[in-house]
Each structure stands twice: as C-alpha cells, then as structure tokens.
Amino acid sequence: MSSEMLPVNEVAWQKKWADENLFKANLTGDKPKFYCLEMYPYPSGKMHMGHVRNYSIGDAVARYKRMMGFEVLYPMGFDSFGMPAENAAMSEGGHPHDITERNMASITQQIKRMGFSYDWSRTLKSHDPRYYKWNQWFFTKFFESGLAKREFAPVNWCESCNTVLANEQVKAGRCWRCNGPVEQKGMSQWFIDLPYYAQELLDGLESIKFPEHVKSLQRDWLGRSEGADITFQVVDSDLSFEVFTTRPDTLFGATFVTLAPEHPLSHQLVEGTEFETDWKALHDEVVNMSEFDRIKNMNKKKGFFSGRYAVHPLTGEQVPIWFGNFVIATYGTGGVMAVPAHDERDHDFAKMYEIPIKRVLVMSEGADADAPMNAAEVDDGWMVNSDLEGFDGLYGQEARDAVCNALESKSLGMRRVNWKIRPWLVSRQRYWGTPIPIIHCDTCGPVPVPEQDLPVELPRDVVFGQGNPLETSETFIHAPCPKCGGKGRRETDTMDTFMDSSWYFLRYTDALNDDACFEKPLADQWMNVDFYCGGIEHAQMHLIYARFMTKALRDLGLTSVDEPFKELLCQGMVNKSAPYCASCSVTHTVDRAGSPCPHCNQPLTERSAKMSKSTGNTVSPEAMIELYGADTVRLFILFAANPTAGMDWSDAALEANHRVMLQLQAMPEQLSQWKGEASSMDAWLVTRFKKRVHEFTDAMETYDLRRAVELSHYEIIKDINWYVRRGGENPDVAAGILPQWAQMISISTPHLAEEWWMELPERSESFAASSYLQSPQLVSDEEHLILAGEQYIRDFLEQARKVQNIAERHLGGSAASATVVLSPSWKREMARSALNFIHEGGHPKQFVPILAQMPMAQGERKGEMMGFWGKKMLPQVFKWDDESRQVILSSLDEKEVLEAASTFIASDLGLESVIVVEGESEDDTTERARSAMPLSPAIVYA
RNA sequence: GCCGGGGUACCCGAGUGGUCAAAGGGGGUGGAUUCAAGCUCCUCUGCAUAUUGCUUCGCAGGUUCGAAUCCUGCCCCCGGCACCA
C-alpha cells in the first residue's frame, strides 16, 4: 500500500552523487563529447516552473547521453549582473552584490533539490571579476580592431530605467524591462559593429538546427535588402545626397525625393529661407517624439517642400526635394527617392500634396503605358515611359540591373546590400554590470585599460539613485592615462549584460582558468554546444549576440568555431488556467474567479494562461517537491507535453503521475515475489522489452522526451501486466529486464532509478546514473513472430469483446460459449498472392486479371471471389500494417495460436468454452465464414 | 501588410498517403475490491449495429483504388516584423 511505503530519500541520493563527483566532466578523456546546456538563469531568489521545465528537459538529455557512452559537459551558472539586483538595492537598501549572492545561494539550493546532473565544479557567475575581466579584455580587443567604437548618435533612452537601450531591447517603442516609453536622445555611446557580421549571421542559419520560427525571427531582425544607393545633386549647389532603394527599376518614375527631417543636409538646404521655420517645426516634432508615439502616428503622413531641387541622375530633370516625417533617418541613407506610381507611401504622399504621378512600369507585358493609375502598382513589371533608350520592355531583375549599370557607369549610383540590423549599443548608465575598461584622456582620447590592469573592478563606494552610480565613486573615476600618464577619467558606463551571456558557454569549457578566457584546444574540442535549451524570449537578443560574439572571438584567433549552438530547443510555456472573460478577451487575476467580469459583468470562464505572478496562477516548485518529490514533478513535466509545446499545469495529472511513481517504486519488490516457472510467455516479455528499449532510444535520439517517458514509465508496466495476465510469473525474466529498465527510468526519475539499482544483485556500476545502456539490438524475424502471435490474441480479444456486447443483447443474457470461425483458406491465399503482387510493385488495379487466372478462381465461385476482391480484400490488403502483412505471409497458424490460448480467452471473456473451426470446413456449422478475414475471424456466441 | 508556426474527439495532445474511428494522458462512465470513502485494477467513452455500416481531424473543392496526411482557395488562432524605401 502506498501509505506504508517510505518515500524515496532524494536528498540522500543527491548527496551520494555529489560525494562521488559523478557528474564532473573529464574534458580531456577519449570518449566522444556531448555538450548539453540550458540558458543560464538570472538569479532571482526563487526557482519557478519555467526553470524546472527547462532543466528537466536538459537533464534528461544529459543523463541519456552519458548513459550512451558520451562524456557530457553539463554545467550551470548564473547570469548575475543586471538591473533587478540594482533596483532592489535602491528600493530595499543593501548592495547589489550582497543581494545577488544571497539570491544565488537560495536558488542554487532549490535547483540542487531537483537532482539535476550538473557539473557544479565549473559554475560561473557573471558578476565575478574573474569572469568579467574577460568581457573587458574582449572589449579592449574590439576597440583596437575597430569593432567597438564610441559615437555620438541618437539612441534609445528609457527614463524610468535611467539608461540607454539597444535597438533589440525596444519593443513597440517601449522598454523591454519596465515597459516605459522610450525616447530618442543624442548621446555619445559605445557601439559594437554587429552589421559587420550580418551576412555571416544570415548564412549561418542554414547550418544550424534552430526552430524555423527562430530562424525567421533572426532573418527579420537582420533585415537584408538588396538595392542601390543613388546620388542626387542639389541644384545650384555643390551638395549632393544619396538615397537607398530596392527598386532601381522605378527610378524613371521618381518625381520627387524625400529626406528625413533629421537628415544631415536638411538644415543647410533651408537655412535662411522662408522654409526654415516649417523644417524646424517638423524636425523638432520628429526628434522629440518617442518611438512609441511615432508608431502610433504612423499613418499620419506629413511633409513639405524644401524650396530646393535635385537633379535626376539619369534624365537630368529637376525634381523637388521634400521633407517627410515618414522617412527614417537611421535606415538606409535617411533619404528616399519617391516613386508615387509604384510605392504606396509615395502614392499617398503625392496625392496629398498634388505631386505628379508617373507610370514607369506596367503589370502585364505590352499593356498600355498611359493607363491611368488609381493606386500604386508595387509588383515587378515591364518598364515603360523610360526617358532614355534601351530600358522599355525590361522586367524585374533585368530592369534593376540595367538601371544599376547605367548609374554605375556615370558614377551616380552603386549596388548595395542594406541591413536593418544596427550596431549594438552596449553602454549602460547603470552600476551592476561590467565596467567598460576605458580611460578618457584629454590628450589621447579614449584609451583602453592595459591587460595587466584588468579587471577594472566595480567599486563599492557608490551612491544609488542619483544618475549613473559609478560617477559618484571618487576612488573609481580618477585614473592616469595609460598612454601618456596624464590625468584621466574612467569611463563610468557599464556593459549591457547581454555581453556576459554572449560567451559564457565558451567559458564553461575552461571555467577556472585565470590566465586566459579559455584554452583554445579545449574550446575547439568542446564547442559547439550540441543541445541548447531555453525560452523563446531570447530568440533575437541573446541568440544573435551569442552568435555574433562567437564569430568575433573566432576572428581574434581564440577559437575555430563558427556557431555557438548546433541545435536549439525552445521549450514551451508552463500554463495554468486563470479566469477569463470571453466577451472582453481578457484574462483576469485568480482572485477574480467566481465573480463576474469587472468590465462587462458577464460570468467568467477559465482559460489557460502563462504562469505569471501578476495573474497569480503560479505553482511553487518547492511546494510540489515537498508534496510529491522531485521525481514526480519531473515525470509530470516531461510527460504532460512535448518539450516544445505549451503545457497546462494540472494538479490532477500531477497526482496521477505520482501514483505511477508509487506503483513503480513497488515494482522491484513485486517482481521479486514472483514464484512461477518458465513459460511460453517468457520469450514474449523478453522480446517485447527488447523492442521497448529500442523504441526508447529512438525517441531520445530525436529528443522526443514525452514518448521516451511514456515508454519507460507506462508502456513497460502495461507489458508486464499483460505478461502476468497470460500466466507469466518467472522471476528470472523479471530480474533480466530490471537493470535496463532502471536505466530507462533514470533519465527522468533518477532518484527512483537509484533505489532500483541498489537492489540489483549484480551491478556493473555503483549507480544507475553512471552506468551504460547497452545498445539495443533489432528484433529478429523469429522474435517478430512471437510478438505477432500475442498481438493477434490481443486484437482478437478486443474484437471479441465488442461483438460480445452486441451478441449478448441478442441472446438476452450472458454468452456461455463462443465458436471462432477462421477465414476460409482461399481468402488467405488471395491475400498472400495480392500482397506478394503489390510488394513486387504491381498496381492494385492490375491484380484482377491475375486473380482470374488463379486455380482457386476457376470453379463456380469465381464471380463471388472476384467481387470479394474488389469489395473486401482490396481495401483490407492496404489496411494491414507491415507487421500484419508479414504475419499473413509467415507461417503463423491462426488456429494453433488460438487453440493454445483458448483457456485464457475463455476465462478472459467469461465463457465456459471456446471452439476454433476453419471457415467453410466440415466442422463449421455456423455459416459465418463470410465475414471472416485473415487475422480477423468471425465469432459466434451462444 | 509581410514572414513563421498552427487549427485533430469533452480537454491536453500523437499522428505527413493504406497500420486511422484515429496513440497516450487527463476528465467522465460502468464494474471489481472495500463496512464505507480514498487508493488500485478492468470495461466503455462519435452514432448505429451479431461481428458491419455510417459520419468525423478548421471550411470548401481537387488528385488517388484509397486522404487527418498531398494540391488549390478560404476562414480563424498564436508568434515576430512593420511608413525599412
């Protein structure tokens, strides 16, 4: 009984594993390597279900690979720099360092309670100077190579976080952390040249196994577009500017050009003219508008004429220069050629301000070049109305090439690939991050701190809450210039914490090295990460920065690795139902359950929603471990859904899984109490189990963890139940399957596996966790037949039960006996020749003449048989699975099998007797042979 | 608007041409066990039915001897990007 069973002492097993250093990776051994990694967590004080799911997946993979003979590197660490600790320090007092250390200690303990097989000896934390020293070292190298630069530029500023943000950290005009509005500010900031690797980042996506949607996300973010820069001279001046276009084929239709009001030339163009006031107004409006408001006002196109004209590079015509609020200063060149006939925005703009619209493409070959235009026609088309010879009639890419060639020969344009991705703004006006290792000197400018002076450590004498904290540290800011020795001032900005997480996976390969960031041979041998698991929320920040960094470090000569992660798995959300208003489409907090919707007063329903503190639908892992143990929580979380799918938390399902755990816990003892003899069923269970091991490894190889767990924790129990039902009770057989079974359950419920393992009379290793799973062998043909015979009985019983229900209604009471009518031999013969025919590539339709030639079809029943083929046998031939087909073609004798099992069948169906007869034979008095088919006999109850 | 992923029974969720009325789990149902509840085990869980037939995998068509699966069009959901020239 479950209540009498002692729970598994999980903590004791965890201690034993740790004492034995079981999971410490030996990076210089000769086993094949496997690097398994989860995205390292930010150390908030508490582990949440998302963590549990993430690590349960990773741990299952790590344990599996270890079992399969790989040396597995499976480390854990903390992304411990960042604003939450700093904000906590400000609101609650204390120091970010102490808060972080405290939180780390508490979450570490919770993670360890789950029994994950991490190599804790190489734990890293990004706020450790031994780690961030290398951030600084990389930065100085980037500075020297020009990859890191300080620039004055309009940047994203979040007022409430009091810092600048990278483009990637602005979501719909709002801060990714606090959701506050983001404004544009001109500031001098540090940038890293992400676009330098844009093409490689794009191409690299082809060679790595990332989920399709992550790749698509990254492609969007990189934003490659092919086009041309085209030069326009300003009339009556030496000035010229360039526009970027992806549609050079529409150049002849450019009836004006539009510049962003912030375009560097814009002020000069209007300075001292009547247009200056208008320009200033538009400029100020655009500059001061937060990106959020800008998106909101996206459709309100506004602009005005600058009073100046530009020269069309091919026709020499003069086209007016306009300013428009819809032109983005930082994309392309900050100016566009406006082709109202073939661009929707330009079309709207031209209509609004009555600028001529000139058709230069037609959408079907030879169409009317002067057809009126009611809307912009933006697709590729055939050139018309070109003002120069040699262009009309060209289409698409050919047209674009022709225009580009003409421009390039006049040096007024150039093909160019433009990227949406912009340099990575890495400086932050916050304290809790890596200090940027630069000293500003009045004579030498920004000078990197020399390697021997690294790390530049964070000072403790800072004041929080008054701007950039580092500026308040007197001990920090003053430093002599490393170059000239003169008076210098330290850079007070720190690095974006995404810098920390961009290379930590490399550091793990050599985490304790204080002389180098990592040894190249080690990193080369162990990279890339074979299996990387984490949340989708990092798809375009962390995963782009990390890929970038890997390439940048490679080019510093530190590794030979191109990509950090070979395969990425994004685990799904952990959800739980929460009150929901269907008519408002709003999820409410859990305390609203039972009351009506506060907006529309309708009763609330339930809907599954992401677990979150604000909704209140969270479940504490600690509480669940307390109740059921870590193994049960892990089993539930792996079994509830596929790793990538969203899963719903269900207390009922968790309990159900706990029952399975209890059942399994009792299993070795239960099996050891078997007292039976060897029986014909033994071979079946042994074979069946062999097949299960095979299926298990197949599932694990594709990271189909749900299926793997289903096999190890559910299917095998069912198999054993069947074996027992059929009279099997051989203790030797049980003892034979137990070791491998223990290994199978160890990937998801490792503590229970050790309990089993400990009881084994002969153990190859002291722990299940350190044992090797023998590679499964394929099931032989002979063994197939054993399985097939039993499968036949199971299928037969299922069918028999169905029929029995109906039959007993007819009989008006319980049936006492059954006559099993096997299919007549001619049906088997027909099936066999049809299967052979199709197997050899024959088309099912062509079997008819062959059947007509067969000896058995020559008698008076020919018509019946031909009809039977078309109506019954043809569909059935395809319904049989491969196994059934093999069985039909094999020597399996249905009669023999059923007769051997007839006692069992009778008792299982609650009958006194079961008789098996061959259909249409002398013994068959039932006249039911008509409905019997091979493998599917008719059953007559009486 | 563009890009990507989806829509399977009461719910979650397998399933990429025949093995499919459709795995597995949850829930429900009936039964065994029990003084009783829980636990555990078993049956059933689209409709009808002497073993078979009918209807069903977002909707509508098509290809095929055969479609949840392939093709075409449409609808809806989720995620991302978006005045990107």
Side-chain angles (χ1 to χ4, degrees):
Chain A
M1 245 354 239
S2 60
S3 56
E4 292 158 22
M5 195 156 27
L6 283 173
V8 174
N9 189 341
E10 296 180 334
V11 177
W13 283 115
Q14 288 158 14
K15 184 162 183 309
K16 282 182 196 163
W17 293 331
D19 290 347
E20 297 283 331
N21 274 327
L22 220 53
F23 305 125
K24 192 166 175 173
N26 171 15
L27 266 56
T28 51
D30 27 318
K31 284 201 256 174
K33 73 104 182 176
F34 192 88
Y35 189 173
C36 181
L37 187 65
E38 295 129 16
M39 294 179 185
Y40 74 156
Y42 179 82
S44 64
K46 292 230 176 247
M47 177 175 71
H48 56 68
M49 276 303 169
H51 292 131
V52 174
R53 188 170 192 199
N54 190 180
Y55 309 153
S56 297
I57 293 166
D59 190 51
V61 171
R63 284 177 181 273
Y64 171 73
K65 288 291 175 179
R66 228 176 261 127
M67 205 160 79
M68 296 307 283
F70 289 85
E71 186 67 43
V72 174
L73 173 58
Y74 184 46
M76 171 53 71
F78 294 98
D79 187 13
S80 50
F81 266 143
M83 295 210 315
E86 191 172 341
N87 292 343
M90 281 194 278
S91 61
E92 301 156 22
H95 191 276
H97 180 270
D98 306 335
I99 293 170
T100 302
E101 288 287 341
R102 192 186 65 212
N103 283 345
M104 246 171 59
S106 113
I107 196 172
T108 301
Q109 201 188 6
Q110 292 175 31
I111 292 174
K112 286 191 170 173
R113 180 60 187 84
M114 288 299 295
F116 299 127
S117 59
Y118 295 121
D119 177 354
W120 287 99
S121 73
R122 51 186 69 238
T123 298
L124 62 80
K125 42 189 187 179
S126 33
H127 76 280
D128 184 347
R130 288 171 65 196
Y131 181 74
Y132 70 67
K133 170 185 178 179
W134 303 109
N135 287 350
Q136 295 175 333
W137 187 71
F138 297 149
F139 191 92
T140 60
K141 295 288 157 199
F142 292 164
F143 180 79
E144 285 160 12
S145 72
L147 204 59
K149 286 188 263 233
R150 188 168 173 82
E151 272 179 5
F152 185 86
V155 296
N156 306 299
W157 174 262
C158 174
E159 187 58 41
S160 71
C161 291
N162 205 17
T163 186
V164 297
L165 300 170
N167 290 313
E168 291 80 358
Q169 293 168 341
V170 180
K171 302 280 160 196
R174 291 185 169 270
C175 172
W176 69 299
R177 273 237 175 275
C178 69
N179 206 32
V182 171
E183 47 190 286
Q184 299 293 302
K185 236 182 173 179
M187 291 175 79
S188 238
Q189 294 289 318
W190 289 97
F191 290 89
I192 291 183
D193 193 2
L194 220 47
Y196 180 79
Y197 287 99
Q199 187 67 51
E200 210 194 321
L201 287 167
L202 183 66
D203 295 342
L205 290 173
E206 303 304 319
S207 68
I208 51 182
K209 280 199 210 157
F210 277 25
E212 210 39 59
H213 62 291
V214 173
K215 288 190 186 184
S216 143
L217 224 80
Q218 297 215 344
R219 281 189 202 105
D220 277 356
W221 203 265
L222 292 162
R224 184 182 201 273
S225 55
E226 256 175 61
D229 280 335
I230 301 175
T231 308
F232 283 78
Q233 300 284 340
V234 179
V235 174
D236 297 332
S237 97
D238 301 335
L239 300 171
S240 71
F241 57 86
E242 293 186 328
V243 301
F244 176 74
T245 181
T246 55
R247 294 298 300 275
D249 53 326
T250 64
L251 176 58
F252 289 109
T255 52
F256 61 110
V257 292
T258 316
L259 300 182
E262 312 101 296
H263 191 280
L265 236 53
S266 58
H267 191 209
Q268 280 185 64
L269 291 175
V270 293
E271 200 165 6
T273 72
E274 55 182 296
F275 300 100
E276 190 172 359
T277 335
D278 281 350
W279 168 78
K280 182 111 182 50
L282 189 69
H283 175 266
D284 292 352
E285 185 187 324
V286 168
V287 166
N288 292 326
M289 198 182 269
S290 72
E291 197 152 330
F292 182 73
D293 291 330
R294 209 167 158 160
I295 289 165
K296 245 174 43 189
N297 293 322
M298 215 141 62
N299 300 321
K300 295 176 189 153
K301 289 192 181 51
K302 233 199 259 186
F304 63 90
F305 177 47
S306 69
R308 307 292 292 264
Y309 290 83
V311 182
H312 190 289
L314 291 187
T315 66
E317 270 175 47
Q318 296 197 355
V319 295
I321 302 172
W322 283 67
F323 295 117
N325 66 347
F326 63 93
V327 180
I328 298 169
T330 50
Y331 183 77
T333 62
V336 297
M337 66 179 204
V339 184
H342 304 291
D343 181 281
E344 273 168 27
R345 290 153 306 176
D346 298 342
H347 191 89
D348 293 349
F349 198 82
K351 279 237 160 125
M352 197 180 335
Y353 296 107
E354 295 176 347
I355 303 169
I357 298 171
K358 181 187 172 194
R359 175 192 286 281
V360 292
L361 292 176
V362 288
M363 295 298 122
S364 55
E365 198 165 11
D368 181 6
D370 299 316
M373 306 206 64
N374 301 318
E377 295 176 9
V378 299
D379 295 336
D380 275 1
W382 287 262
M383 289 181 80
V384 293
N385 300 332
S386 313
D387 298 315
L388 295 178
E389 287 288 309
F391 292 101
D392 281 1
L394 298 177
Y395 174 85
Q397 191 55 45
E398 212 185 346
R400 286 189 275 276
D401 285 339
V403 173
C404 287
N405 290 339
L407 287 166
E408 280 171 4
S409 70
K410 295 177 78 174
S411 298
L412 285 171
M414 241 179 94
R415 271 169 251 250
R416 186 160 75 88
V417 173
N418 194 56
W419 296 89
K420 207 173 68 180
I421 193 162
R422 288 178 246 172
W424 177 14
L425 199 175
V426 289
S427 39
R428 295 289 179 277
Q429 291 68 49
R430 299 292 300 222
Y431 171 77
W432 197 228
T434 306
I436 292 177
I438 293 288
I439 294 168
H440 295 279
C441 168
D442 287 342
T443 37
C444 309
V447 180
V449 174
E451 186 172 348
Q452 69 269 16
D453 295 340
L454 296 178
V456 175
E457 289 201 37
L458 280 172
R460 281 199 69 133
D461 61 334
V462 292
V463 180
F464 294 107
Q466 297 170 16
N468 188 342
L470 283 180
E471 284 174 358
T472 67
S473 168
E474 288 298 318
T475 58
F476 183 79
I477 45 177
H478 304 296
C481 168
K483 232 185 214 168
C484 69
K487 216 176 121 198
R489 189 178 184 281
R490 273 192 204 282
E491 171 68 58
T492 52
D493 284 356
T494 52
M495 295 181 204
D496 185 354
T497 55
F498 276 107
M499 191 73 145
D500 312 333
S501 53
S502 293
W503 71 284
Y504 75 105
F505 41 87
L506 281 160
R507 178 69 179 172
Y508 277 136
T509 63
D510 200 5
L512 307 176
N513 192 339
D514 282 329
D515 301 323
C517 46
F518 43 81
E519 286 294 334
K520 184 168 189 282
L522 273 178
D524 282 351
Q525 188 194 338
W526 280 85
M527 288 293 287
N528 33 31
V529 174
D530 294 279
F531 180 81
Y532 194 42
C533 180
I536 181 69
E537 66 274 15
H538 291 114
Q540 78 268 62
M541 288 198 269
H542 165 58
L543 288 171
I544 284 194
Y545 297 141
R547 294 184 58 224
F548 159 82
M549 198 70 163
T550 302
K551 294 172 196 303
L553 297 187
R554 175 201 62 198
D555 290 349
L556 288 180
L558 298 173
T559 73
S560 322
V561 195
D562 296 323
E563 289 284 343
F565 314 117
K566 190 186 279 177
E567 179 157 10
L568 171 71
L569 185 143
C570 290
Q571 94 263 12
M573 302 257 186
V574 183
N575 305 315
K576 189 169 191 270
S577 66
Y580 178 75
C581 175
S583 60
C584 305
S585 301
V586 173
T587 304
H588 293 281
T589 54
V590 287
D591 51 15
R592 284 256 162 71
S595 23
C597 174
H599 307 300
C600 66
N601 218 30
Q602 305 263 337
L604 295 178
T605 54
E606 291 270 307
R607 194 188 199 190
S608 125
K610 184 192 176 183
M611 272 191 192
S612 77
K613 271 191 196 150
S614 53
T615 315
N617 59 342
T618 56
V619 176
S620 144
E622 278 181 293
M624 293 299 125
I625 297 167
E626 176 79 16
L627 271 173
Y628 301 108
D631 276 348
T632 295
V633 174
R634 292 170 61 145
L635 177 67
F636 164 67
I637 228 157
L638 291 177
F639 187 57
N642 267 337
T644 56
M647 62 166 281
D648 283 332
W649 186 270
S650 151
D651 292 329
L654 182 67
E655 269 181 59
N657 281 285
H658 189 236
R659 289 200 292 271
V660 171
M661 284 305 290
L662 292 174
Q663 198 184 345
L664 282 169
Q665 198 186 337
M667 196 57 77
E669 207 196 326
Q670 191 185 322
L671 297 190
S672 71
Q673 283 165 0
W674 281 357
K675 300 218 163 45
E677 310 253 306
S679 78
S680 58
M681 283 308 290
D682 294 354
W684 178 80
L685 185 60
V686 169
T687 311
R688 183 78 166 182
F689 183 74
K690 189 169 165 187
K691 199 175 162 200
R692 291 304 188 204
V693 178
H694 211 272
E695 289 171 338
F696 176 81
T697 54
D698 275 356
M700 282 309 297
E701 290 298 328
T702 56
Y703 306 131
D704 187 351
L705 302 182
R706 221 202 66 84
R707 175 65 186 153
V709 166
E710 182 176 11
L711 286 159
S712 59
H713 288 72
Y714 290 82
E715 300 283 20
I716 294 174
I717 296 184
K718 286 188 205 163
D719 293 339
I720 289 175
N721 284 343
W722 175 258
Y723 170 76
V724 172
R725 246 172 100 184
R726 293 281 280 118
E729 214 188 355
N730 184 347
D732 294 342
V733 169
I737 65 173
L738 215 49
Q740 278 192 318
W741 192 11
Q743 292 175 318
M744 286 161 80
I745 67 166
S746 75
I747 64 141
S748 49
T749 56
H751 308 92
L752 178 62
E754 297 297 355
E755 299 273 325
W756 283 21
W757 196 257
M758 192 175 58
E759 299 298 326
L760 295 178
E762 290 167 39
R763 281 170 289 165
S764 50
E765 296 275 336
S766 343
F767 294 94
S770 58
S771 65
Y772 298 113
L773 182 68
Q774 227 177 5
S775 278
Q777 289 166 349
L778 281 168
V779 173
S780 69
D781 285 350
E782 214 171 304
E783 291 170 323
H784 263 301
L785 211 56
I786 297 174
L787 294 179
E790 213 51 29
Q791 192 58 43
Y792 175 60
I793 294 171
R794 298 180 87 155
D795 293 346
F796 170 81
L797 277 176
E798 195 182 324
Q799 176 66 6
R801 254 188 228 105
K802 259 188 192 167
V803 177
Q804 190 171 8
N805 280 332
I806 305 159
E808 289 185 344
R809 252 182 275 164
H810 281 255
L811 295 170
S814 300
S817 69
T819 309
V820 180
V821 185
L822 297 173
S823 101
S825 59
W826 62 266
K827 289 188 188 173
R828 230 168 303 150
E829 203 180 326
M830 184 188 286
R832 280 180 186 174
S833 31
L835 283 172
N836 280 326
F837 176 74
I838 289 160
H839 183 72
E840 280 156 24
H843 192 273
K845 274 181 163 175
Q846 288 155 1
F847 184 67
V848 177
I850 293 177
L851 177 62
Q853 300 290 310
M854 285 173 65
M856 74 180 192
Q858 302 316 311
E860 55 185 23
R861 297 182 71 185
K862 181 167 188 169
E864 183 195 343
M865 287 184 186
M866 301 307 287
F868 182 83
W869 162 254
K871 197 152 178 279
K872 297 275 183 184
M873 190 57 90
L874 173 63
Q876 185 58 52
V877 159
F878 290 102
K879 275 187 186 159
W880 281 315
D881 59 21
D882 283 347
E883 211 133 285
S884 304
R885 289 180 198 185
Q886 270 183 34
V887 173
I888 290 167
L889 296 172
S890 78
S891 54
L892 182 105
D893 185 331
E894 293 186 43
K895 195 168 185 206
E896 211 172 275
V897 171
L898 287 180
E899 277 177 344
S902 66
T903 321
F904 168 70
I905 291 170
S907 81
D908 206 68
L909 296 175
L911 302 172
E912 284 157 25
S913 68
V914 171
I915 306 160
V916 186
V917 298
E918 168 116 14
E920 295 177 4
S921 70
E922 286 171 14
D923 303 334
D924 178 17
T925 52
T926 62
E927 297 182 358
R928 298 278 186 180
R930 206 167 18 91
S931 55
M933 288 290 269
L935 296 187
S936 174
I939 306 155
V940 186
Y941 288 92

